[in-house]
Amino acid sequence: MDKFRTLLRLGPSNLARVGIYRLGLKSGFHRVQAISAPIPSGRLFKPVQTTAPKGCVARNSWHQNSARIFGQDITPYPELPQWHANALVVGASQSASQDWWNISDFDPNVGDIKGIWEASRFDWLIAMAQRAALGDAGELERANIWLENWLEKNPPYKGANWKCGQEASIRVVHLALAACIIGQVEETSPTLLSVVELHLMRIAPTIGYAIGQANNHGTSEAAALFIGGSWLAKNNIEAGNQWLKIGRKWLENRAQTLIEPDGSFSQYSVNYHRMMLDTYCFVEVWRQKLKLTEFSRSFFERLGKSTQWLQQMAQVENGLVPNIGANDGSQILALTDSSYRDFRPSIQLACALFLDACAFDDDGLNNQQLLWLGVDMPSKKAQPLQSMTYDDGGYHILRQGNAVAYLRYPRFRFRPSQADILHCDLFVNGENLLRDAGTYSYNSSHEDLVYFNGTKAHNTIEFDDKDQMPRLGRFLFGNWVKTKSINKISENENRVTAGASYQGPSGENHSRVLQLEHDKLVCIDEISGFKDKAVLRWRLAPGAWKLDGDTLSDGVRSIVIKSTVAIKNIEILEGRESLYYMQQSILPVLTVTLSNNEKSSLAQITTTIRF
């Protein structure tokens, strides 16, 4: 029944789209299985005739046997990628000759298939195009060699790199971005147009499946159809007009459907929110460049709200954001050498395009997106940051002095990917003092999947060794919890307060109130209804933390725990976090255990964090 009710909440139309897609592939009669195309031959990019705008700086990545995989620099790296090998698992590779629909997403002999897909996203093309635009002709030659090799080793539509419509869409976006950088949007080689066309032939027949996912697959694939279709149409390739119309339709639809009125995004993920927003940013840049019809007013309103949401998540000091929700390190507009974890360049671009405002004053890496894409710097400043509630998505953001606290509460209109209800993140002077675990991998051991997606990996309370929602599959939780009550933001010059509560599927109750002052955060948890035990966890920034009774300190910051009922155990344990996809590290976790609660009784735990 849990599974049945959860499937209903996913939406009948979405289920139908996904079901038709899977049934079609299984039967062998899906129209995507009938497409074919020859391997295009010839150089994709011509010699560069233009120069980059003044002030542009090229990325250093993908240079001198180095690579950038999942946002992290990797060395050494082969001169030519092994397109069907897992970049992070030695000896693991996938067949290059199989029809893509016969390849498993979760082959244990290959490892995470994203390790194969990563080099085929063409992130390297952006760095090479930038260096070519700044006068390094050898980099354009190198880019052409890599592209020709990719086409040879990935014939349409064979191998893992054709399996996912979103991966094909990211390639189209990056081909178009490279053409913008080196000035070849207007005068495009026939070979490049052929490559774009064969990609759209793969994407268009399965757009329904992407829409049924209700996530950034739909925005990415709609963007590819819009960008690629208009590019082909401009060059008198008739099929482009139809793809352009389909892409425009779904870009408008996804903006209204997946972006909530307050700007929250369907995936409840900060990194995927950026990916969606970056995609729409490049769509708008492309639309302006080709002088295409404007999108609707409501389209721009939703994108403006989503921009403000992301700006609220990023720290002004360094661009870091809470590691909330699924995170595979995706960054579709990587035009700077700044860390993928620095969200400021994306926010600056989105503010300019959708709010006609400037988010950051400095003229460093934050402005490189605008320079490379030819977007004028607005003179107006973005609205100052303040404490906010995003109730459509379920987020409280509390600000006081140099501290920002985030509280996650359940407003699940779309499927949640993590059991992170009432999770709390805390940043002080840009440092993530209380933090989320991240994701690690979508295809790892059962232990890793359960840990990183589960309640144990979040700063909240776990009841009776169970996740807050029952796990129904690799990416699906059931019995989506609803918010029981909300404490709206209340603030004065000294303190800002907010909170929320929920009741779990087994009758457990949890209420959390945050009180943020300029030098401390007080968290008041009230719990009841659990059977055997409740565990409160605080996942901390690595440091020399020492526990003395009920007080934890690193010599500068301190955490004091008080409870109205006896604490069974309080200790520092090792936890894990993933700052980069497929990478994990150790961090300290303050763990507080209460036991033997009667269903009718109430326990209150007060955590005071001084900084």
Side-chain angles (χ1 to χ4, degrees):
M1 288 303 298
D2 279 350
K3 194 164 189 175
F4 178 72
R5 285 191 294 265
T6 303
L7 290 174
L8 286 179
R9 294 198 65 181
L10 293 175
S13 63
N14 290 333
L15 290 175
R17 288 189 175 99
V18 172
I20 289 169
Y21 167 81
R22 290 178 175 168
L23 181 61
L25 290 185
K26 190 172 182 178
S27 69
F29 291 109
H30 197 294
R31 60 193 180 103
V32 75
Q33 293 168 303
I35 63 173
S36 62
I39 300 174
S41 61
R43 289 296 159 102
L44 275 70
F45 290 102
K46 308 170 186 178
V48 177
Q49 302 295 323
T50 60
T51 57
K54 183 179 180 181
C56 284
V57 178
R59 285 169 50 188
N60 286 321
S61 54
W62 297 100
H63 201 210
Q64 297 177 338
N65 297 322
S66 70
R68 196 182 198 195
I69 304 294
F70 300 123
Q72 192 167 27
D73 290 333
I74 303 294
T75 56
Y77 194 79
E79 181 56 33
L80 267 172
Q82 303 301 306
W83 304 111
H84 299 277
N86 191 319
L88 296 178
V89 181
V90 176
S93 64
Q94 184 60 267
S95 169
S97 59
Q98 272 185 293
D99 293 325
W100 63 260
W101 55 85
N102 289 323
I103 295 173
S104 171
D105 281 332
F106 304 107
D107 185 341
N109 296 317
V110 174
D112 196 320
I113 196 171
K114 293 178 73 63
I116 293 175
W117 289 345
E118 185 72 1
S120 291
R121 287 187 163 194
F122 292 1
D123 174 68
W124 44 266
L125 177 59
I126 308 312
M128 293 179 192
Q130 287 179 312
R131 293 193 284 266
L134 291 172
D136 188 344
E139 282 297 280
L140 186 63
E141 174 68 11
R142 185 166 169 243
N144 275 319
I145 291 172
W146 281 38
L147 288 166
E148 290 168 25
N149 185 261
W150 188 90
L151 290 167
E152 177 189 346
K153 302 295 184 183
N154 294 271
Y157 295 92
K158 304 288 187 179
N161 291 317
W162 288 106
K163 182 171 179 58
C164 178
Q166 183 177 42
E167 297 302 312
S169 299
I170 292 171
R171 288 196 290 274
V172 171
V173 170
H174 283 162
L175 287 166
L177 176 56
C180 288
I181 290 170
I182 61 177
Q184 295 186 20
V185 173
E186 303 291 335
E187 298 183 7
T188 311
S189 76
T191 305
L192 178 50
L193 293 173
S194 295
V195 172
V196 171
E197 185 173 13
L198 68 88
H199 275 76
L200 299 193
M201 289 169 62
R202 163 63 186 90
I203 297 163
T206 59
I207 184 68
Y209 175 70
I211 298 304
Q213 298 297 302
N215 59 20
N216 57 32
H217 282 245
T219 58
S220 299
E221 295 184 35
L225 291 171
F226 177 83
I227 292 165
S230 58
W231 203 358
L232 297 176
K234 184 177 179 62
N235 287 272
N236 301 312
I237 298 174
E238 182 59 30
N241 288 303
Q242 183 62 25
W243 287 327
L244 166 61
K245 291 177 183 177
I246 295 171
R248 179 184 287 276
K249 167 192 169 182
W250 286 117
L251 284 169
E252 288 272 10
N253 176 277
R254 297 295 83 185
Q256 298 301 316
T257 304
L258 303 185
I259 303 173
E260 302 279 15
D262 68 2
S264 304
F265 182 52
S266 66
Q267 288 185 271
Y268 311 116
S269 158
V270 185
N271 201 63
Y272 282 156
H273 189 113
R274 176 179 60 180
M275 185 178 182
M276 172 274 295
L277 190 57
D278 275 351
T279 302
Y280 274 109
C281 281
F282 187 63
V283 162
E284 176 58 14
V285 168
W286 184 266
R287 185 200 66 78
Q288 293 180 16
K289 186 174 288 291
L290 268 63
K291 298 181 174 58
L292 302 172
T293 304
E294 284 192 3
F295 292 101
S296 67
R297 180 177 178 181
S298 58
F299 172 97
F300 283 100
E301 288 174 352
R302 288 295 169 98
L303 270 298
K305 290 292 187 182
S306 73
T307 299
Q308 291 172 328
W309 185 97
L310 192 60
Q311 185 185 7
Q312 284 278 3
M313 290 288 169
Q315 313 312 303
V316 175
E317 298 91 340
N318 49 29
L320 295 181
V321 301
N323 204 2
I324 291 173
N327 180 2
D328 66 355
S330 293
Q331 188 179 17
I332 201 168
L333 286 186
L335 290 166
T336 76
D337 270 328
S338 58
S339 166
Y340 99 92
R341 301 181 64 231
D342 183 351
F343 279 54
R344 291 173 298 179
S346 291
I347 293 167
Q348 188 83 316
L349 176 63
C351 278
L353 290 171
F354 300 124
L355 298 174
D356 190 26
C358 173
F360 304 102
D361 293 330
D362 59 279
D363 58 359
L365 291 178
N366 298 336
N367 295 335
Q368 284 294 306
Q369 311 262 46
L370 281 71
L371 290 173
W372 280 108
L373 296 174
V375 177
D376 293 334
M377 174 69 71
S379 57
K380 184 177 70 174
K381 302 297 182 185
Q383 295 179 358
L385 299 175
Q386 58 184 347
S387 297
M388 288 285 294
T389 293
Y390 290 94
D391 191 51
D392 292 327
Y395 308 90
H396 283 314
I397 303 174
L398 288 68
R399 297 182 179 276
Q400 188 74 301
N402 295 322
V404 190
Y406 301 85
L407 180 62
R408 178 85 183 93
Y409 62 91
R411 285 294 197 215
F412 299 135
R413 191 162 72 89
F414 302 91
R415 61 178 176 179
S417 65
Q418 297 194 350
D420 59 355
I421 300 166
L422 298 190
H423 166 82
C424 172
D425 247 74
L426 174 66
F427 284 82
V428 179
N429 293 316
E431 181 187 6
N432 196 183
L433 185 57
L434 302 178
R435 49 180 66 182
D436 197 309
T439 298
Y440 181 56
S441 172
Y442 298 151
N443 184 20
S444 183
S445 67
H446 177 72
E447 177 193 6
D448 286 338
L449 289 169
V450 168
Y451 178 81
F452 282 97
N453 292 342
T455 302
K456 282 183 171 65
H458 299 94
N459 295 324
T460 185
I461 291 181
E462 177 191 45
F463 296 101
D464 297 319
D465 291 320
K466 297 178 182 177
D467 284 330
Q468 296 158 328
M469 298 172 286
R471 191 182 299 270
L472 302 182
R474 186 184 295 267
F475 302 119
L476 185 63
F477 286 101
N479 257 344
W480 300 352
V481 170
K482 296 181 180 180
T483 296
K484 185 176 179 181
S485 65
I486 296 175
N487 302 70
K488 294 182 178 179
I489 287 178
S490 172
E491 58 185 319
N492 55 42
E493 61 182 22
N494 297 317
R495 176 189 293 176
V496 56
T497 302
S501 68
Y502 78 94
Q503 184 175 60
S506 300
E508 61 274 11
N509 292 283
H510 183 190
S511 168
R512 171 166 281 184
V513 174
L514 300 183
Q515 300 174 349
L516 181 63
E517 300 182 20
H518 75 281
D519 62 348
K520 68 180 178 181
L521 173 68
V522 178
C523 175
I524 302 170
D525 290 306
E526 292 186 348
I527 57 175
S528 64
F530 58 96
K531 183 180 178 181
D532 295 316
K533 68 175 182 177
V535 179
L536 167 65
R537 293 183 179 88
W538 293 113
R539 304 170 52 81
L540 306 169
W545 297 96
K546 293 183 179 180
L547 184 62
D548 183 8
D550 60 6
T551 300
L552 181 72
S553 176
D554 69 349
V556 178
R557 287 81 57 100
S558 66
I559 301 176
V560 178
I561 306 292
K562 299 293 183 183
S563 175
T564 58
V565 300
I567 294 174
K568 180 181 179 181
N569 194 26
I570 180 169
E571 58 187 334
I572 285 283
L573 299 176
E574 280 192 351
R576 292 179 284 160
E577 69 173 343
S578 178
L579 300 177
Y580 297 88
Y581 195 70
M582 292 294 293
Q583 301 289 327
Q584 57 176 298
S585 54
I586 300 299
L587 84 173
V589 182
L590 178 61
T591 305
V592 182
T593 303
L594 276 63
S595 62
N596 299 323
N597 172 259
E598 297 293 334
K599 278 187 176 287
S600 59
S601 67
L602 183 72
Q604 184 181 94
I605 310 171
T606 301
T607 305
T608 302
I609 304 152
R610 295 186 180 274
F611 41 81

